[in-house]
Amino acid sequence: MTGATLDAAKLNEIVTEVLAKQPVLDLHTHVYSPNFGTPVGNRSGKVDPKGLMLWGIDELVTYHYLIAEVYRIVPATVLPYEQFWKMSKTKQADHIWKHLFIENTPLSEACRGVLTAMQKLGFDPADRSLDQIRKHMAQQDPSAYIDRVMEIANVSKIIMTNPVFDDNERNRWLSDSDVGTDPRFNAVLRIDPLLRDYPAAAKQMNDWGYTVRQEIDEHSIQEARRFLNEWIIRMKAIYLAVSLPPEFHYPADPELPVSRDGQTMIEQVVLPVCAEHGLPFAMMIGSRLQVNPALHEAGDMLGVSDVGSVVNLCRRFPQNKFLVTMLARENQHELCVAARKFGNLMIFGCWWFLNNPSLIDEITRMRLELLGTSFIPQHSDARILDQLIYKWDHSRRVIGKVLADMYRDLMATGWKLSRADIERDARVFLRDNFVEFLAR
């Protein structure tokens, strides 16, 4: 502990300032570099309809959270889903803007986030029009715009999510040697089908030249390992990741072939390869996909998951490192207690439907009370570049309020706290815990 003792009355102001100044390493996003192409019209003139780098006001307003929300106001009986999906991106944005922002008060976190991003970019949301910001975006160079957004959000590194079983993504890595070279980004190898639908994954790997059989045998295991090894090297992946349903269990139900195959892939392919490369295995557990398929990505939901399965993996594979986040609020306490028992388990973030201020506050307080600073409080999960601005602005504010309250309680015991202590904690939360977990 160094430096002058702080005045408890000024804690909120000091903590807010310190967190705002600390650059964040955003460990889980769906944001891409320009090398992956962008479907957004811009100054460079290079528009790729299937491009993966999403940015700009129309992408921001048509984020799938807002699509789901607008259907609360204008139901499918008025605007059929298929009709909405046939609309241009601009018309979709105009529809959402009209019904969620103009004709209704934009109180939801997703709506407020759009307004925060607009404000931080220098636009007045009170104008009630998207025209000016659209004109501005059309004049931007995508790469320069990334720099601007990262500066506003104070993000030092963006960690992508790179699903290798997606043809659009995979073909870009194979056809362009520069696709993964942007120093502002790191790649993560995402492997969902390998664990969630092994027969389909095996067929794809066979088509790509890996002799993986439908019935898992030793040769298939070696070929699947070769597949992961080659893609880890190609991507320079810093961890492997999978999104799992609430029904995920380890050990698996032996009567369910998909679950049994997934367990074999975890035990004999994924975890040995991760251990060989010293990479964490990230499990994001609790997503129930397409409960309303007509809403596309907006149609996903959540469910309560089995924390005991995480415990079983951490105990059985002590040589492996596990990054874990869970989607259901009901799982957070048990997961937090589990992290007290296993040094190879790092819990991270308030994922997806938990990324709301009231829940971030509750979950961060609980984690601090049980784990001290030995967890990663947040990631953005941003899908659109501009979301980095509001997600980190909002999260920093909530985390700051929680920290200030806990520092105040700590000082009430007679403990002396300095600004240097707060700066260290901010660095640990927003960077060092992740970096050091990778390096173990």
Side-chain angles (χ1 to χ4, degrees), residues 159-165 169 173 186-192 194 227-233 235-242 273 279-282:
I159 311 302
M160 300 181 287
T161 298
N162 306 98
V164 68
F165 286 94
E169 168 100 24
W173 285 96
N186 284 127
V188 166
L189 179 57
R190 179 80 171 254
I191 56 169
D192 290 20
L194 192 63
F227 171 74
L228 293 186
N229 276 311
E230 289 180 359
W231 277 96
I232 287 170
I233 293 168
M235 289 183 175
K236 299 182 175 64
I238 63 172
Y239 64 85
L240 270 65
V242 64
V273 169
L279 301 182
F281 180 43

Side-chain angles (χ1 to χ4, degrees), residues 29-33 158-161 185 382-385 388:
T29 81
H30 300 269
V31 176
Y32 287 85
S33 72
I158 299 170
I159 311 302
M160 300 181 287
T161 298
F185 294 79
R383 290 182 178 271
I384 294 104
L385 173 69
L388 294 174

Side-chain angles (χ1 to χ4, degrees), residues 22 34 36 285:
Q22 173 59 46
F36 288 87
I285 309 173

Side-chain angles (χ1 to χ4, degrees), residues 9 23 119:
Q119 183 185 53

Side-chain angles (χ1 to χ4, degrees), residues 148-165:
R148 184 182 177 198
V149 168
M150 291 179 72
E151 181 180 7
I152 294 170
N154 199 11
V155 170
S156 61
K157 182 77 74 170
I158 299 170
I159 311 302
M160 300 181 287
T161 298
N162 306 98
V164 68
F165 286 94

Side-chain angles (χ1 to χ4, degrees), residues 81-322:
Y81 296 120
E82 60 270 20
Q83 185 176 332
F84 176 83
W85 295 117
K86 290 178 181 178
M87 294 163 62
S88 69
K89 184 74 68 171
T90 299
K91 288 190 178 298
Q92 289 176 356
D94 286 339
H95 173 73
I96 292 169
W97 184 257
K98 173 185 175 182
H99 291 287
L100 295 187
F101 293 84
I102 305 302
E103 296 184 354
N104 287 276
T105 305
L107 290 174
S108 73
E109 176 65 4
C111 285
R112 186 171 70 101
V114 172
L115 302 179
T116 296
M118 292 173 69
Q119 183 185 53
K120 296 285 184 180
L121 285 164
F123 296 92
D124 183 1
D127 288 345
R128 303 293 181 99
S129 172
L130 299 179
D131 292 342
Q132 184 181 3
I133 193 168
R134 279 177 175 149
K135 290 176 183 177
H136 176 79
M137 294 296 180
Q139 299 304 312
Q140 301 306 302
D141 173 76
S143 185
Y145 190 65
I146 289 174
D147 287 336
R148 184 182 177 198
V149 168
M150 291 179 72
E151 181 180 7
I152 294 170
N154 199 11
V155 170
S156 61
K157 182 77 74 170
I158 299 170
I159 311 302
M160 300 181 287
T161 298
N162 306 98
V164 68
F165 286 94
D166 177 81
D167 286 338
N168 186 16
E169 168 100 24
R170 179 178 174 276
N171 290 335
R172 291 174 189 275
W173 285 96
L174 292 174
S175 63
D176 185 351
S177 60
D178 293 330
V179 75
T181 59
D182 193 316
R184 299 168 292 189
F185 294 79
N186 284 127
V188 166
L189 179 57
R190 179 80 171 254
I191 56 169
D192 290 20
L194 192 63
L195 305 187
R196 297 182 70 146
D197 188 358
Y198 171 76
K203 183 180 184 305
Q204 283 184 283
M205 287 187 286
N206 256 294
D207 292 343
W208 300 333
Y210 301 89
T211 52
V212 180
R213 302 184 176 101
Q214 292 288 311
E215 293 294 326
I216 301 174
D217 57 13
E218 183 58 32
H219 179 77
S220 298
I221 289 168
Q222 294 304 319
E223 283 290 272
R225 287 183 182 180
R226 180 169 72 90
F227 171 74
L228 293 186
N229 276 311
E230 289 180 359
W231 277 96
I232 287 170
I233 293 168
R234 178 177 283 113
M235 289 183 175
K236 299 182 175 64
I238 63 172
Y239 64 85
L240 270 65
V242 64
S243 175
L244 294 165
E247 295 78 16
F248 169 73
H249 283 84
Y250 182 87
D253 183 343
E255 300 302 316
L256 298 176
V258 171
S259 298
R260 190 175 64 243
D261 290 345
Q263 177 174 328
T264 302
M265 286 293 106
I266 289 175
E267 292 176 338
Q268 299 191 43
V269 177
V270 175
L271 293 183
V273 169
C274 284
E276 178 184 347
H277 290 271
L279 301 182
F281 180 43
M283 296 185 294
M284 297 168 283
I285 309 173
S287 57
R288 183 165 282 133
L289 304 181
Q290 298 291 286
V291 298
N292 183 355
L295 276 172
H296 297 191
E297 284 187 338
D300 298 343
M301 197 175 162
L302 62 84
V304 177
S305 302
D306 177 39
V307 178
S309 296
V310 176
V311 170
N312 292 338
L313 284 164
C314 291
R315 182 174 57 232
R316 182 167 177 183
F317 298 94
Q319 75 279 14
N320 282 99
K321 300 177 288 186
F322 297 91

